[in-house]
Amino acid sequence: MTDSKYFTTTKKGEIFELKSELNSDKKEKKKEAVKKVIASMTVGKDVSALFPDVVNCMQTDNLELKKLVYLYLMNYAKSQPDMAIMAVNTFVKDCEDPNPLIRALAVRTMGCIRVDKITEYLCEPLRKCLKDEDPYVRKTAAICVAKLHDINASMVEDQGFLDQLKELLSDSNPMVVANAVASLTEINEASSSGQPLMELNAATMNKLLTALNECTEWGQVFILDALSQYSPKDEREAQSICERITPRLAHANAAVVLSAVKCLMKFMELMLADSEFVKNLTKKLAPPLVTLLSSEPEVQYVALRNINLIVQKRPELLKHEMKVFFVKYNDPIYVKLEKLDIMIRLASEANIVQVLSELKEYATEVDVDFVRKAVRAIGRCAIKVETSAERCVSTLLDLIQTKVNYVVQEAIVVIKDIFRKYPNKYESIISTLCENLDTLDEPEARASMIWIIGEYAERIDNADELLESFLEGFHDENTQVQLQLLTAIVKLFLKRPTDTQELVQQVLSLATQDSDNPDLRDRGFIYWRLLSTDPGAAKEVVLAEKPLIAEETDLIEPTLLDELICHIASLASVYHKPPSAFVEGRTGLRRALPKSSGGSEGESGGEQQQQQQQQPQQQQPTVIPNQDSLIPDLLNMDINPAPVVPAAQPAFTGGTLDLLGGGLDSLLGGGGGDIAPAAAPAAANNTTSAGLLGDIFGMASGGAAIYTPPKQVWLPANRGKGMEIHGTFARRGGVITMEMTLHNKAMQPISQFAIQLNKNSFGICPASPLHVPAPVAPNQSIDVSLTLATTGPVQRMDPLANLQVAIKNSVDVFYFATVMPMHIFFGEDGAMEKRVFLATWKDIPSQNEVQFSIENINMNVDMTSRPPEASNLDANLHLDGISNKLHSSNIFTIAKRNVEGQDMLYQSIKLTNGIWVLTELKVQPGNTTIVLSLKSRATDVAQGIFEAFDGILHC
């Protein structure tokens, strides 16, 4: 009878029966009992109560029984750590057993029992097993070191196990070598030091290559992965390694084949692209990759994802193997879509007829997703292979004639791209497209059709009627369609202004007045402004010549592609993402391909340089990132931006229309025209007016320190992958600076810093590139200062002084937001004449006055317990102190007076964008609360002004 009988019986009192059987004197009965225990454990029963009885069964020579007991121990040791210690002596004794199978079994089990108390006793037996005479024991012990490192990393390092593992790389047995490599690789990935544990030199490489031919398939995978991280010293060594790896391409295991391909792809980078060796290697690489496509669908999919990367890096590898990527009727959809993608990448003038014939067949399939992708693929072929464009357009027209709704819609989307790629070439088909207008119900297809009508409105007689038909349900349309319709109607108006004026007014009204979408509203206002102020400029902007679209719109970014090539045969190559994107807690060393060989020494290098000079450089296809991955404005980062020269700030006028449509005229400088002229002389004679104020009010000139808020944590280390940023803003001598402290809490140096600021309410932008003098070493900090200008693009933020920052370094790009203190926008030309101050205060409506209380102000002297004359003197001194503090931050005191025992200070402030703010401070002698009243045509700034006063007066 088979062992299945142990899983069929369940009865009451079974535990008690098993207990008695486990303590039986008969070996067979004891073995039967242990089997029943293991069966119960396997089906989920709790048999932990039998722990002492099962452990007693360890004292046996029967290998089968010992294996069963060890299996039980591995399962229950964690829940019964105190009792598991009872087994330690047996483990230690078994590690010295004459039978190598028992020695290996003991050390393997001890490595699997994750109990700290047992781990302490494992060290000595493990050390002996690593030097055991039997290779089976040594290879088991090598894996046990990795398990022990996972439990207690410091112990492994302290006990010298890593050195013993490295010695095993020179072992005579290939399986021991393979397991040592696997163990070191695992430990290296888990290590936080970032330093490679294996020193890959020529001698080590030779040993690994020798072991490669004789170990198991998974051992070969580990060794090949280690080989791929080696950097040969020259081309000859790379060729030698490639020759010894090449036989692995014929292996039956797909993992071994892909690991060998990874190594060869890396070492080929070190060789001349046109060398005979590379050509021969290229021919050898194709057949094994093709063979992988005859495996089961799951393996096919993994192979196809890897081939997708390989074809992007070296398209010549499989250029003659197009037919193997043709879709079979019984392929799963995920395999079909991958094959289709690779077909497009391999499409060329030589095989385009074949490819188009296949794609046309696919477009008549029943699977809707596959048909859509096939139709899009036809359009991509037209864009990629210019000679096939006419044939592709003809094929698309044939598909449109089928009147299948989703086919027609996909065809229109790709025809729009073809028009962009080949302007003034295939526009004769527009009439055919217009016939299908009523059948379009998908946003992308409707938007594409609207773009075609707007772009070629002069060729379509009834373009206005067609666009008007879309306008009827404007509010029900998708945002993409609304934006495209707005632009198309404006284009139509610029081309035929006489009979479309009413239409353009209607769409602008719908976009700006009846829409809640900020993108649509903003675009509507911009078009309205352009059309109302300068139609000529509008024509230049809206009807500007479009740039040709790229050949390949879904290529992986080159740096990422190089990294993914180094991860072929891993999950990263299937996801097409670096490991750091989906594996948490494993930093590891970032892999990259070696720099391509520019030629060997002497003549070959000169020849190659000469060839490059003679041949015109081919334009590389632009990589257009996926729309989902874009973060607006901030990802447009220039690593080494040119220094920004602050331009003179343009004068603001009050009569311009507000583009942002949110009542921001005054914020962007409007509405202040009556003040600016009066303030201009004050700005020119700033020092004179300050001196005058000193004479009138008895103020000391330049006494108070300039206020700078304390630094805050802008980017914590856990979000910055080890980089922590503390920062603040300051204004000194009319220059705004961003003061930062960069802390490196990572394990490797950080360098290559660059910064970019998003559009903001005050036009803040870098006046020069971010300069970090040297790489920031681990656990080191460095202070940097970035000069800022106020000449950048303006966009209303919430909160008003919010600033979005992107900072790039050698690790990644990081994003954070901070609120700028308002005092940095206080200009040095903010001193206003008394008469102008009074007239302006009266002129600003009373509803624009905002009041705040500033509490807990230190009055410095106790004015309640002193004679009246002394109190008055102290009060004046205190007011002077307040005025001095405010003056140091460009808040200029214009006058002061005393009303019913309250001291009043009046100040003027001019922001960098031309907004004026007038303030009144009420100071009650003996009271620690000061009342701040402020008036401005832009009340949005009130909260920020109050926070500035609060910070300055408390410093």
Side-chain angles (χ1 to χ4, degrees):
M1 188 182 286
T2 63
D3 287 346
S4 61
K5 64 181 180 182
Y6 300 112
F7 295 92
T8 55
T9 56
T10 53
K11 54 186 177 181
K12 290 184 178 177
E14 192 176 11
I15 297 289
F16 181 77
E17 284 185 19
L18 287 171
K19 195 176 182 74
S20 61
E21 287 178 14
L22 287 168
N23 292 305
S24 171
D25 295 331
K26 296 179 181 178
K27 289 184 179 180
E28 281 303 315
K29 201 169 186 181
K30 193 179 282 191
K31 187 164 77 170
E32 290 289 308
V34 174
K35 284 187 177 181
K36 288 177 185 175
V37 171
I38 298 298
S40 299
M41 181 182 80
T42 306
V43 296
K45 286 184 185 175
D46 184 11
V47 285
S48 59
L50 298 169
F51 197 95
D53 305 288
V54 176
V55 170
N56 285 337
C57 297
M58 287 177 71
Q59 306 294 338
T60 178
D61 297 329
N62 188 305
L63 185 59
E64 185 183 4
L65 180 56
K66 201 174 277 285
K67 281 183 178 179
L68 291 169
V69 174
Y70 280 177
L71 187 62
Y72 178 89
L73 278 171
M74 281 190 276
N75 194 52
Y76 282 113
K78 199 165 188 180
S79 60
Q80 307 264 358
D82 295 329
M83 298 186 73
I85 298 224
M86 297 192 312
V88 167
N89 286 335
T90 310
F91 280 133
V92 174
K93 183 181 172 185
D94 282 353
C95 285
E96 297 178 358
D97 193 278
N99 187 339
L101 292 176
I102 291 179
R103 295 202 299 274
L105 181 63
V107 78
R108 178 192 289 125
T109 307
M110 286 181 79
C112 291
I113 296 175
R114 302 177 65 83
V115 176
D116 289 336
K117 293 178 182 177
I118 288 184
T119 306
E120 297 169 13
Y121 298 98
L122 176 61
C123 294
E124 204 52 45
L126 180 57
R127 187 175 285 109
K128 289 179 182 177
C129 288
L130 284 167
K131 294 179 179 178
D132 197 280
E133 60 185 17
D134 193 283
Y136 182 75
V137 179
R138 293 200 301 275
K139 84 178 184 65
T140 308
I143 294 296
C144 190
V145 174
K147 292 178 179 178
L148 182 60
H149 185 274
D150 195 38
I151 300 167
N152 192 334
S154 59
M155 181 186 290
V156 170
E157 291 165 14
D158 296 342
Q159 295 285 338
F161 289 131
L162 292 181
D163 293 329
Q164 283 188 273
L165 263 186
K166 291 173 188 176
E167 287 173 14
L168 289 182
L169 293 175
S170 305
D171 198 278
S172 58
N173 187 284
M175 272 313 303
V176 176
V177 175
N179 280 19
V181 170
S183 194
L184 282 168
T185 304
E186 184 71 23
I187 293 170
N188 202 52
E189 286 181 1
S191 173
S192 57
S193 66
Q195 297 298 321
L197 296 176
M198 271 190 290
E199 295 175 12
L200 293 174
N201 50 38
T204 310
M205 290 300 293
N206 197 40
K207 291 167 187 171
L208 295 184
L209 286 165
T210 304
L212 183 63
N213 297 322
E214 299 175 40
C215 58
T216 64
E217 52 197 19
W218 297 113
Q220 291 181 34
V221 169
F222 285 120
I223 290 175
L224 286 167
D225 192 51
L227 291 172
S228 71
Q229 297 178 52
Y230 177 62
S231 299
K233 57 180 181 290
D234 55 28
E235 187 177 349
R236 182 174 295 176
E237 187 184 6
Q239 288 183 4
S240 173
I241 295 170
C242 288
E243 284 171 353
R244 296 178 72 176
I245 290 174
T246 306
R248 300 300 99 212
L249 294 173
H251 203 282
N253 187 304
V256 175
V257 173
L258 285 174
S259 296
V261 169
K262 169 172 63 181
C263 291
L264 296 172
M265 287 286 291
K266 180 174 181 180
F267 295 139
M268 283 167 72
E269 291 293 306
L270 298 167
M271 305 172 201
L272 286 171
D274 56 350
S275 68
E276 199 62 36
F277 188 87
V278 170
K279 288 176 182 175
N280 290 333
L281 203 53
T282 302
K283 289 175 186 174
K284 290 177 184 176
L285 276 171
L289 292 173
V290 170
T291 305
L292 291 177
L293 299 182
S294 57
S295 311
E296 54 270 22
E298 293 79 11
V299 176
Q300 275 191 60
Y301 178 73
V302 172
L304 287 165
R305 292 293 284 175
N306 281 275
I307 288 169
N308 200 324
L309 296 173
I310 293 164
V311 165
Q312 287 186 57
K313 186 69 182 174
R314 291 186 176 270
E316 71 278 3
L317 266 179
L318 294 164
K319 65 181 179 182
H320 300 303
E321 305 293 343
M322 176 63 82
K323 282 190 177 179
V324 298
F325 298 106
F326 287 173
V327 171
K328 297 174 184 173
Y329 75 96
N330 58 348
D331 281 339
I333 183 64
Y334 54 87
V335 171
K336 285 181 176 179
L337 295 177
E338 280 304 313
K339 282 185 173 180
L340 203 54
D341 206 30
I342 294 169
M343 280 173 63
I344 305 307
R345 299 204 190 285
L346 294 176
S348 63
E349 289 185 22
N351 57 27
I352 194 66
V353 176
Q354 226 178 353
V355 172
L356 278 179
S357 175
E358 278 289 310
L359 293 177
K360 193 172 181 182
E361 283 294 317
Y362 301 160
T364 60
E365 289 273 344
V366 291
D367 191 310
V368 175
D369 288 336
F370 181 54
V371 170
R372 288 177 182 277
K373 185 108 176 180
V375 176
R376 293 220 173 192
I378 295 171
R380 284 174 62 187
C381 283
I383 291 166
K384 185 177 180 183
V385 185
E386 187 171 352
T387 54
S388 73
E390 195 163 340
R391 190 187 291 268
C392 291
V393 171
S394 175
T395 305
L396 289 169
L397 286 176
D398 290 343
L399 292 173
I400 288 172
Q401 296 304 326
T402 63
K403 301 295 182 186
V404 178
N405 187 270
Y406 54 87
V407 174
V408 172
Q409 303 204 68
E410 288 297 327
I412 286 173
V413 171
V414 297
I415 284 172
K416 177 204 74 173
D417 292 336
I418 293 171
F419 284 170
R420 285 282 308 276
K421 178 70 176 175
Y422 308 109
N424 305 316
K425 201 166 182 182
Y426 300 108
E427 284 75 12
S428 57
I429 66 170
I430 290 174
S431 56
T432 309
L433 302 181
C434 291
E435 291 170 9
N436 297 278
L437 209 56
D438 298 334
T439 63
L440 307 180
D441 54 15
E442 293 174 11
E444 193 175 5
R446 289 172 74 82
S448 298
M449 192 67 228
I450 290 167
W451 181 86
I452 291 169
I453 295 169
E455 189 69 15
Y456 302 102
E458 68 278 7
R459 303 181 185 212
I460 306 171
D461 295 334
N462 61 337
D464 52 343
E465 294 173 14
L466 296 175
L467 292 175
E468 196 169 2
S469 67
F470 285 101
L471 207 57
E472 291 167 3
F474 186 79
H475 292 300
D476 300 326
E477 296 284 4
N478 182 280
T479 303
Q480 180 184 7
V481 179
Q482 290 177 334
L483 289 166
Q484 201 60 261
L485 188 55
L486 172 61
T487 302
I489 291 175
V490 171
K491 286 179 183 176
L492 177 64
F493 172 72
L494 292 170
K495 291 174 181 179
R496 290 157 51 181
T498 50
D499 52 349
T500 55
Q501 191 165 349
E502 190 177 332
L503 188 63
V504 79
Q505 285 180 341
Q506 186 183 350
V507 75
L508 287 172
S509 175
L510 287 168
T512 56
Q513 295 175 22
D514 303 337
S515 174
D516 295 330
N517 186 302
D519 290 337
L520 183 64
R521 201 168 57 237
D522 289 354
R523 190 182 290 194
F525 276 121
I526 289 169
Y527 284 152
W528 201 320
R529 172 70 61 80
L530 278 168
L531 294 171
S532 60
T533 54
D534 190 350
K539 214 164 191 173
E540 287 179 20
V541 171
V542 180
L543 300 181
E545 191 176 337
K546 311 290 183 297
L548 298 183
I549 63 174
E551 287 180 9
E552 291 280 5
T553 56
D554 59 348
L555 289 173
I556 294 174
E557 191 269 326
T559 311
L560 174 58
L561 179 61
D562 285 354
E563 185 179 354
L564 293 178
I565 291 290
C566 294
H567 288 289
I568 283 176
S570 73
L571 206 54
S573 65
V574 178
Y575 285 162
H576 287 188
K577 292 179 180 177
S580 57
F582 58 88
V583 181
E584 291 184 8
R586 294 288 182 96
T587 51
L589 290 172
R590 188 165 184 164
R591 299 186 188 179
L593 288 178
K595 291 182 179 178
S596 297
S597 173
S600 56
E601 297 172 11
E603 295 177 6
S604 60
E607 279 178 24
Q608 192 181 31
Q609 193 173 3
Q610 193 174 0
Q611 285 173 5
Q612 287 176 350
Q613 288 173 353
Q614 289 171 355
Q615 294 175 356
Q617 188 176 1
Q618 282 190 332
Q619 186 177 359
Q620 292 296 319
T622 311
V623 178
I624 300 178
N626 188 342
Q627 195 170 6
D628 297 340
S629 70
L630 288 178
I631 296 177
D633 298 325
L634 288 179
L635 272 184
N636 248 346
M637 170 147 324
D638 185 1
I639 306 302
N640 296 304
V644 180
V645 181
Q649 190 160 341
F652 290 85
T653 58
T656 55
L657 180 67
D658 174 19
L659 270 180
L660 297 177
L664 293 177
D665 294 278
S666 51
L667 181 63
L668 301 180
D674 54 332
I675 298 174
N685 303 302
N686 197 22
T687 52
T688 312
S689 69
L692 184 62
L693 287 169
D695 290 342
I696 295 173
F697 301 119
M699 294 192 301
S701 55
I706 296 173
Y707 167 65
T708 302
K711 286 183 177 176
Q712 298 175 325
V713 179
W714 284 349
L715 182 70
N718 60 341
R719 282 183 48 219
K721 295 185 180 178
M723 177 178 69
E724 186 168 282
I725 301 178
H726 295 238
T728 187
F729 294 88
R731 185 183 183 102
R732 299 183 186 87
V735 178
I736 303 173
T737 55
M738 180 189 274
E739 312 284 343
M740 291 180 286
T741 301
L742 308 177
H743 301 268
N744 182 3
K745 296 187 177 181
M747 302 302 295
Q748 68 271 5
I750 301 177
S751 60
Q752 299 173 10
F753 287 88
I755 195 167
Q756 186 159 318
L757 310 181
N758 205 355
K759 299 173 189 172
N760 52 81
S761 305
F762 293 90
I764 284 288
C765 62
S768 59
L770 177 63
H771 178 64
V772 180
V776 185
N779 299 317
Q780 296 295 314
S781 301
I782 191 168
D783 292 321
V784 293
S785 179
L786 177 69
T787 306
L788 302 175
T790 54
T791 55
V794 174
Q795 177 176 301
R796 167 66 184 261
M797 302 298 288
D798 187 21
L800 191 67
N802 194 39
L803 181 66
Q804 295 173 342
V805 184
I807 192 158
K808 188 179 193 307
N809 59 30
S810 53
V811 177
D812 206 343
V813 182
F814 304 100
Y815 306 95
F816 61 87
T818 182
V819 177
M820 299 176 282
M822 194 66 77
H823 79 278
I824 65 170
F825 304 113
F826 297 172
E828 283 70 16
D829 56 348
M832 189 180 280
E833 292 180 2
K834 277 188 182 180
R835 294 189 316 272
V836 177
F837 182 95
L838 185 60
T840 308
W841 185 277
K842 291 178 180 178
D843 191 41
I844 298 174
S846 57
Q847 60 262 33
N848 280 30
E849 185 172 353
V850 189
Q851 201 167 81
F852 300 94
S853 293
I854 305 173
E855 299 177 344
N856 300 321
I857 298 298
N858 183 9
M859 293 300 184
N860 293 326
V861 289
D862 181 9
M863 293 178 276
T864 56
S865 59
R866 293 167 66 93
E869 298 83 8
S871 294
N872 289 337
L873 180 60
D874 288 337
N876 283 330
L877 287 172
H878 179 61
L879 290 178
D880 292 346
I882 290 175
S883 295
N884 282 341
K885 273 188 175 183
L886 297 175
H887 185 271
S888 68
S889 295
N890 295 333
I891 303 172
F892 298 97
T893 302
I894 306 304
K896 69 175 180 179
R897 63 190 179 123
N898 187 286
V899 179
E900 298 177 356
Q902 278 194 121
D903 291 305
M904 307 284 202
L905 289 177
Y906 297 93
Q907 291 95 3
S908 67
I909 304 165
K910 185 183 179 184
L911 302 184
T912 53
N913 58 2
I915 295 174
W916 286 85
V917 182
L918 311 183
T919 66
E920 175 191 72
L921 282 180
K922 293 178 184 175
V923 183
Q924 181 82 37
N927 192 343
T928 59
T929 298
I930 293 177
V931 177
L932 168 68
S933 301
L934 64 85
K935 273 190 169 188
S936 176
R937 287 187 169 81
T939 54
D940 309 65
V941 301
Q943 182 65 31
I945 300 289
F946 157 65
E947 289 168 2
F949 268 82
D950 190 61
I952 294 164
L953 293 177
H954 278 103
C955 73

